Amino acid sequence: MVTTLLVVVIIMAIAFDYINGFHDAANSIATIVSTKVLSPFQAVLWAALFNFAAYFYFTDHKVANTVAKTVTENFITLEVILAGLIAAIAWNLFTWWHGIPSSSSHTLIGGFAGAGITHALNMGAGVTDAINIGYVIKIVSFIVLAPVIGMVFSVILTLIIINICRKARPATAERWFKTLQLLSSAALSFAHGGNDAQKVMGIIYVSMVAASVIPSGAAMPEWIPLACYSAISLGTMSGGWKIVKTMGSKITKVTPLEGVAAEGAGAITLGVTEHFGIPVSTTHTITGSIIGVGLVKSISAVRWGVTINLVWAWVLTIPVSATLAAALYALIHFVF
């Protein structure tokens, strides 16, 4: 039987996916807007289209499976999931309001894990009983690895492009890259949808298992991915203007050539990690990619003060979300 609490959890999960969309819209459109290839309105429509197109391609749901297994099944309850979602939404809105491109992925996982650990401790179990260490280590390690991989790919792509086009007339090359940036932005949005929508899919799936609506290990109902891809696409259409400025110009000045390299590197990184079922942060990935194109020019071309502030937000996201979720779980458990 579908309980009221389950309905609330599903609504909150879809709301988080929507917020994830407008919070992370800047990841997909920042460079294409800053290079004036598309207007902000055109850019969010373009990104949203390819966010949703990922629904038809990413059907293995490997990332969703990883997120669903972050917390041990014995300690997953609807109260745990609800506390994690509220904490994740709160941190996302806080960072969006302040124009900080933090990770929606890690705030969701941090909230889920924090509430799960609190529930386990209340039951007399330990931290290691509550979470699947292997999955958590993989997720946490890519806080560092995702931006580094994105940076390396973007440096390689930038150098390849520069060498191929070294004899091209600057005006002609710029026209080419403005056209190519439509493709690279589409690829990044496509990969973003495929990676990020799956995280909420995993959360909704385990909530239905926790409510005994479906058995553990059953196939995911088709409405779940459809709802998640739709929500993240609609959120992207709403735009994340406060973060666009940070991503598009504050880290380093980006040209159309560099936009193609950064977006291409981000898309490759997200595609590879999705293949291996690793829920990485699109924010971290594209930030590393933008830093990479800046480094090709010179170390001083990257505004390291801005970058260090972003890293602090990344470091704080999981512990802050986990702590907030733990407090919310205690409140929700008391109420219910």
PDB file of all heavy atoms in Angstrom, residues 14 59 67 70 89 92 107 117 148 177 187 222 230 235 268 314 319:
ATOM      1  N   ILE A  14      11.607  14.336  -6.562  1.00  0.00           N
ATOM      2  CA  ILE A  14      11.431  14.970  -7.871  1.00  0.00           C
ATOM      3  C   ILE A  14      11.702  16.468  -7.765  1.00  0.00           C
ATOM      4  O   ILE A  14      12.282  17.076  -8.675  1.00  0.00           O
ATOM      5  CB  ILE A  14      10.018  14.674  -8.414  1.00  0.00           C
ATOM      6  CG1 ILE A  14       9.902  13.175  -8.735  1.00  0.00           C
ATOM      7  CG2 ILE A  14       9.721  15.508  -9.665  1.00  0.00           C
ATOM      8  CD1 ILE A  14       8.516  12.717  -9.128  1.00  0.00           C
ATOM      9  N   THR A  59      20.114   3.566 -20.283  1.00  0.00           N
ATOM     10  CA  THR A  59      19.078   2.654 -19.788  1.00  0.00           C
ATOM     11  C   THR A  59      19.612   1.602 -18.823  1.00  0.00           C
ATOM     12  O   THR A  59      18.841   0.801 -18.294  1.00  0.00           O
ATOM     13  CB  THR A  59      18.388   1.944 -20.967  1.00  0.00           C
ATOM     14  OG1 THR A  59      19.385   1.271 -21.763  1.00  0.00           O
ATOM     15  CG2 THR A  59      17.660   2.942 -21.849  1.00  0.00           C
ATOM     16  N   VAL A  67      24.127   4.781  -6.138  1.00  0.00           N
ATOM     17  CA  VAL A  67      23.531   5.666  -5.133  1.00  0.00           C
ATOM     18  C   VAL A  67      22.612   4.888  -4.200  1.00  0.00           C
ATOM     19  O   VAL A  67      22.626   5.074  -2.980  1.00  0.00           O
ATOM     20  CB  VAL A  67      22.763   6.812  -5.811  1.00  0.00           C
ATOM     21  CG1 VAL A  67      21.989   7.632  -4.782  1.00  0.00           C
ATOM     22  CG2 VAL A  67      23.711   7.715  -6.582  1.00  0.00           C
ATOM     23  N   THR A  70      24.456   3.124  -1.393  1.00  0.00           N
ATOM     24  CA  THR A  70      25.337   3.893  -0.505  1.00  0.00           C
ATOM     25  C   THR A  70      25.081   3.539   0.956  1.00  0.00           C
ATOM     26  O   THR A  70      26.002   3.332   1.742  1.00  0.00           O
ATOM     27  CB  THR A  70      25.125   5.401  -0.711  1.00  0.00           C
ATOM     28  OG1 THR A  70      25.348   5.730  -2.076  1.00  0.00           O
ATOM     29  CG2 THR A  70      26.074   6.208   0.162  1.00  0.00           C
ATOM     30  N   ILE A  89      18.283  19.492  -0.430  1.00  0.00           N
ATOM     31  CA  ILE A  89      17.583  20.637  -1.033  1.00  0.00           C
ATOM     32  C   ILE A  89      18.009  21.935  -0.350  1.00  0.00           C
ATOM     33  O   ILE A  89      18.273  22.947  -1.018  1.00  0.00           O
ATOM     34  CB  ILE A  89      16.054  20.447  -0.930  1.00  0.00           C
ATOM     35  CG1 ILE A  89      15.596  19.351  -1.905  1.00  0.00           C
ATOM     36  CG2 ILE A  89      15.313  21.753  -1.232  1.00  0.00           C
ATOM     37  CD1 ILE A  89      14.143  18.941  -1.736  1.00  0.00           C
ATOM     38  N   ASN A  92      21.544  22.863  -1.489  1.00  0.00           N
ATOM     39  CA  ASN A  92      21.509  23.287  -2.892  1.00  0.00           C
ATOM     40  C   ASN A  92      20.980  24.715  -3.025  1.00  0.00           C
ATOM     41  O   ASN A  92      21.525  25.527  -3.764  1.00  0.00           O
ATOM     42  CB  ASN A  92      20.623  22.336  -3.713  1.00  0.00           C
ATOM     43  CG  ASN A  92      21.448  21.453  -4.630  1.00  0.00           C
ATOM     44  OD1 ASN A  92      22.671  21.493  -4.615  1.00  0.00           O
ATOM     45  ND2 ASN A  92      20.790  20.657  -5.432  1.00  0.00           N
ATOM     46  N   THR A 107      25.782  16.503  -2.283  1.00  0.00           N
ATOM     47  CA  THR A 107      24.877  16.896  -1.182  1.00  0.00           C
ATOM     48  C   THR A 107      23.775  15.854  -1.004  1.00  0.00           C
ATOM     49  O   THR A 107      23.362  15.564   0.119  1.00  0.00           O
ATOM     50  CB  THR A 107      24.275  18.298  -1.428  1.00  0.00           C
ATOM     51  OG1 THR A 107      23.598  18.710  -0.244  1.00  0.00           O
ATOM     52  CG2 THR A 107      23.293  18.337  -2.575  1.00  0.00           C
ATOM     53  N   ILE A 117      23.320   6.855   8.788  1.00  0.00           N
ATOM     54  CA  ILE A 117      24.225   6.601   9.915  1.00  0.00           C
ATOM     55  C   ILE A 117      23.528   6.906  11.241  1.00  0.00           C
ATOM     56  O   ILE A 117      23.648   6.152  12.214  1.00  0.00           O
ATOM     57  CB  ILE A 117      25.509   7.446   9.762  1.00  0.00           C
ATOM     58  CG1 ILE A 117      26.359   6.913   8.603  1.00  0.00           C
ATOM     59  CG2 ILE A 117      26.313   7.460  11.062  1.00  0.00           C
ATOM     60  CD1 ILE A 117      27.503   7.817   8.213  1.00  0.00           C
ATOM     61  N   VAL A 148      40.179  16.538 -11.775  1.00  0.00           N
ATOM     62  CA  VAL A 148      41.520  16.298 -12.320  1.00  0.00           C
ATOM     63  C   VAL A 148      41.421  15.637 -13.696  1.00  0.00           C
ATOM     64  O   VAL A 148      42.119  16.024 -14.649  1.00  0.00           O
ATOM     65  CB  VAL A 148      42.353  15.425 -11.356  1.00  0.00           C
ATOM     66  CG1 VAL A 148      43.658  14.979 -12.023  1.00  0.00           C
ATOM     67  CG2 VAL A 148      42.658  16.188 -10.076  1.00  0.00           C
ATOM     68  N   PHE A 177      34.412  27.352 -34.397  1.00  0.00           N
ATOM     69  CA  PHE A 177      34.286  26.909 -33.006  1.00  0.00           C
ATOM     70  C   PHE A 177      32.984  27.371 -32.362  1.00  0.00           C
ATOM     71  O   PHE A 177      32.493  26.719 -31.441  1.00  0.00           O
ATOM     72  CB  PHE A 177      35.510  27.333 -32.206  1.00  0.00           C
ATOM     73  CG  PHE A 177      36.715  26.497 -32.514  1.00  0.00           C
ATOM     74  CD1 PHE A 177      37.780  27.013 -33.220  1.00  0.00           C
ATOM     75  CD2 PHE A 177      36.745  25.168 -32.135  1.00  0.00           C
ATOM     76  CE1 PHE A 177      38.873  26.228 -33.535  1.00  0.00           C
ATOM     77  CE2 PHE A 177      37.835  24.370 -32.438  1.00  0.00           C
ATOM     78  CZ  PHE A 177      38.898  24.891 -33.149  1.00  0.00           C
ATOM     79  N   ALA A 187      26.642  17.786 -26.036  1.00  0.00           N
ATOM     80  CA  ALA A 187      27.239  16.564 -25.491  1.00  0.00           C
ATOM     81  C   ALA A 187      27.356  16.629 -23.972  1.00  0.00           C
ATOM     82  O   ALA A 187      27.068  15.658 -23.258  1.00  0.00           O
ATOM     83  CB  ALA A 187      28.618  16.335 -26.110  1.00  0.00           C
ATOM     84  N   GLU A 222       9.184   1.994 -14.966  1.00  0.00           N
ATOM     85  CA  GLU A 222       9.582   2.897 -16.035  1.00  0.00           C
ATOM     86  C   GLU A 222       9.238   4.352 -15.744  1.00  0.00           C
ATOM     87  O   GLU A 222       9.901   5.266 -16.241  1.00  0.00           O
ATOM     88  CB  GLU A 222       8.925   2.466 -17.345  1.00  0.00           C
ATOM     89  CG  GLU A 222       9.418   3.211 -18.576  1.00  0.00           C
ATOM     90  CD  GLU A 222      10.932   3.152 -18.749  1.00  0.00           C
ATOM     91  OE1 GLU A 222      11.534   2.103 -18.445  1.00  0.00           O
ATOM     92  OE2 GLU A 222      11.519   4.166 -19.157  1.00  0.00           O
ATOM     93  N   SER A 230      12.507  14.217 -16.790  1.00  0.00           N
ATOM     94  CA  SER A 230      11.619  15.352 -17.040  1.00  0.00           C
ATOM     95  C   SER A 230      11.877  16.470 -16.032  1.00  0.00           C
ATOM     96  O   SER A 230      11.956  17.650 -16.396  1.00  0.00           O
ATOM     97  CB  SER A 230      10.149  14.912 -16.955  1.00  0.00           C
ATOM     98  OG  SER A 230       9.855  13.940 -17.934  1.00  0.00           O
ATOM     99  N   GLY A 235      14.015  21.828 -14.701  1.00  0.00           N
ATOM    100  CA  GLY A 235      14.855  22.647 -13.828  1.00  0.00           C
ATOM    101  C   GLY A 235      15.924  23.386 -14.610  1.00  0.00           C
ATOM    102  O   GLY A 235      16.187  24.561 -14.363  1.00  0.00           O
ATOM    103  N   ILE A 268      33.235  13.837 -22.026  1.00  0.00           N
ATOM    104  CA  ILE A 268      33.981  12.574 -22.041  1.00  0.00           C
ATOM    105  C   ILE A 268      34.106  12.010 -20.625  1.00  0.00           C
ATOM    106  O   ILE A 268      33.869  10.820 -20.389  1.00  0.00           O
ATOM    107  CB  ILE A 268      35.384  12.781 -22.650  1.00  0.00           C
ATOM    108  CG1 ILE A 268      35.275  13.101 -24.149  1.00  0.00           C
ATOM    109  CG2 ILE A 268      36.248  11.536 -22.445  1.00  0.00           C
ATOM    110  CD1 ILE A 268      36.575  13.591 -24.757  1.00  0.00           C
ATOM    111  N   TRP A 314      33.222  22.432  -2.085  1.00  0.00           N
ATOM    112  CA  TRP A 314      33.182  21.003  -2.397  1.00  0.00           C
ATOM    113  C   TRP A 314      33.512  20.158  -1.162  1.00  0.00           C
ATOM    114  O   TRP A 314      32.860  19.153  -0.894  1.00  0.00           O
ATOM    115  CB  TRP A 314      34.197  20.667  -3.483  1.00  0.00           C
ATOM    116  CG  TRP A 314      33.958  21.351  -4.794  1.00  0.00           C
ATOM    117  CD1 TRP A 314      32.872  22.111  -5.149  1.00  0.00           C
ATOM    118  CD2 TRP A 314      34.831  21.358  -5.930  1.00  0.00           C
ATOM    119  NE1 TRP A 314      33.022  22.583  -6.425  1.00  0.00           N
ATOM    120  CE2 TRP A 314      34.207  22.137  -6.930  1.00  0.00           C
ATOM    121  CE3 TRP A 314      36.066  20.792  -6.190  1.00  0.00           C
ATOM    122  CZ2 TRP A 314      34.798  22.351  -8.180  1.00  0.00           C
ATOM    123  CZ3 TRP A 314      36.654  20.994  -7.421  1.00  0.00           C
ATOM    124  CH2 TRP A 314      36.023  21.760  -8.406  1.00  0.00           C
ATOM    125  N   PRO A 319      30.027  16.729   4.451  1.00  0.00           N
ATOM    126  CA  PRO A 319      29.842  16.782   5.911  1.00  0.00           C
ATOM    127  C   PRO A 319      28.714  17.702   6.364  1.00  0.00           C
ATOM    128  O   PRO A 319      27.982  17.371   7.308  1.00  0.00           O
ATOM    129  CB  PRO A 319      31.200  17.267   6.438  1.00  0.00           C
ATOM    130  CG  PRO A 319      31.913  17.822   5.266  1.00  0.00           C
ATOM    131  CD  PRO A 319      31.418  17.091   4.079  1.00  0.00           C
TER     132      PRO A 319
END
